[in-house]
Amino acid sequence: MRGAFVVQLGPETKPAEGRFEGWVQEVDSCTELRFRSSEELLKFLGQRFDLAKASVDKTRACNKSEQVSPRKKTSRKERGSP
């Protein structure tokens, strides 16, 4: 489940004051972080997103290079057929 996160805001969170604290976990990797500011939360989300995107891009590149190119068609003359 790429790009899925669980965020739990703690009791010290006061959105009106721009204060956020709690923890966040990336679902597919189980990587988690205890954050004490919105900046820490957003930095974590951005880093995990970049890693997931790089992984997808790498997989796509590998899949493209592994694709078998179509066989060249030969004429009847080359095959020795009349």
Side-chain angles (χ1 to χ4, degrees), residues 9-20:
L9 299 175
E12 297 300 314
T13 297
K14 298 190 181 349
E17 297 173 18
R19 194 164 58 191
F20 291 86

Side-chain angles (χ1 to χ4, degrees), residues 15-26:
E17 297 173 18
R19 194 164 58 191
F20 291 86
E21 65 92 18
W23 66 268
V24 58
Q25 180 184 46
E26 183 181 28

Side-chain angles (χ1 to χ4, degrees), residues 58-76:
K58 183 178 177 182
T59 300
R60 285 182 182 157
C62 286
N63 288 343
K64 275 187 177 180
S65 67
E66 290 175 1
Q67 288 178 349
V68 178
S69 57
R71 290 183 10 198
K72 180 182 172 186
K73 291 185 179 181
T74 58
S75 68
R76 287 182 172 183

Side-chain angles (χ1 to χ4, degrees), residues 35-48:
F35 61 90
R36 290 175 178 78
S37 69
S38 58
E39 290 82 14
E40 287 180 353
L41 171 60
L42 291 175
K43 183 178 177 182
F44 175 81
L45 294 172
Q47 289 171 340
R48 300 311 302 174

